[in-house]
Amino acid sequence: MFTADGCSVEVYRLLPPGDEPGIVHAAIPEGASILELGSGAGRVTHALLDLGHPVVAVDDSPEMLAHVRAETVCSKIEELRLGRVFDAVLLGSHLVNTADDADRAAFLATARAHVAPGGRVLVEWHPPEWFESVRDGQGGRIGEVDVRLGQVVRDGDLLSAVVRYSAGDRWWPQAFTCRRLAVPALEAALAETGLAFEGWRAGDRTWFTAVPA
């Protein structure tokens, strides 16, 4: 089963949470409430629940949300308006690197609208150096899933590729296009939606926090 944007529900159920829950947990207070934008099947959600955080999981795929053991909201991120705020808003999956500038602004605006005063927005992104290093065949094993990139094409600041997920004798392709953002462009995109860059939350600069400006 695939979602509208080409994600395999089965793959996202197989993938382990990885380092993401620990990065998020270290950046916010104990028991902080979290709004997770683009939760998928709960890969990170469930680990955050285990760490003591109440989570509201948002995704536009009911097939993904059917596997989430938390409060869920089926909605596109850009259309979400809950009328509630949270101690932390999580925008993972490199969504900020979307090729569409309007989508990026809408994602960040939703995050800003739902973060409490004094709260934080946690964002996962592809830093500029990642775009320089990407090559066909690059990847590795994540839990029981092998992940490999192929058909890498660069066009200015845009990079397109196909991810091939495989587990046992099963495999699933997923195409994507993302945009390289220099740090000044990132800071400008945050500022346009009322957020300010706060700091890096991972040594490889793949996660950062932003706060209400």
Side-chain angles (χ1 to χ4, degrees):
M1 183 180 297
F2 290 85
T3 63
D5 61 354
C7 297
S8 165
V9 176
E10 187 173 5
V11 164
Y12 281 84
R13 292 188 66 196
L14 289 174
L15 289 171
D19 297 333
E20 293 97 323
I23 291 171
V24 174
H25 181 65
I28 59 178
E30 294 283 340
S33 60
I34 298 173
L35 177 67
E36 185 184 2
L37 302 175
S39 67
R43 181 179 66 86
V44 174
T45 317
H46 299 144
L48 290 172
L49 290 171
D50 291 342
L51 288 167
H53 298 284
V55 183
V56 175
V58 177
D59 204 281
D60 64 356
S61 167
E63 294 83 7
M64 287 283 197
L65 291 177
H67 301 284
V68 177
R69 301 186 304 275
E71 181 182 347
T72 61
V73 178
C74 189
S75 171
K76 292 182 177 297
I77 294 172
E78 61 271 29
E79 297 174 358
L80 184 72
R81 289 298 181 269
L82 292 180
R84 301 162 57 185
V85 293
F86 299 79
D87 300 319
V89 178
L90 177 57
L91 184 66
S93 302
H94 314 101
L95 291 172
V96 75
N97 289 106
T98 175
D100 191 309
D101 294 340
D103 284 347
R104 180 181 308 104
F107 295 159
L108 292 172
T110 294
R112 175 65 181 88
H114 292 89
V115 66
R120 284 179 170 141
V121 178
L122 293 101
V123 184
E124 181 183 27
W125 81 320
H126 289 305
E129 53 268 27
W130 178 84
F131 287 81
E132 309 307 321
S133 67
V134 172
R135 297 290 183 272
D136 282 340
Q138 185 173 324
R141 199 162 187 83
I142 305 176
E144 62 182 285
V145 181
D146 186 75
V147 183
R148 299 288 165 183
L149 287 177
Q151 303 177 42
V152 176
V153 176
R154 292 176 171 83
D155 180 10
D157 284 334
L158 295 178
L159 184 147
S160 299
V162 176
V163 189
R164 186 182 190 275
Y165 300 97
S166 60
D169 59 355
R170 298 167 295 167
W171 67 278
W172 308 263
Q174 183 178 346
F176 70 92
T177 299
C178 55
R179 184 178 299 279
R180 180 187 187 276
L181 293 174
V183 172
L186 171 66
E187 291 176 335
L190 293 169
E192 287 172 3
T193 53
L195 292 167
F197 178 85
E198 182 185 37
W200 305 111
R201 293 292 168 172
D204 58 3
R205 301 203 312 165
T206 53
W207 283 86
F208 65 86
T209 49
V211 294

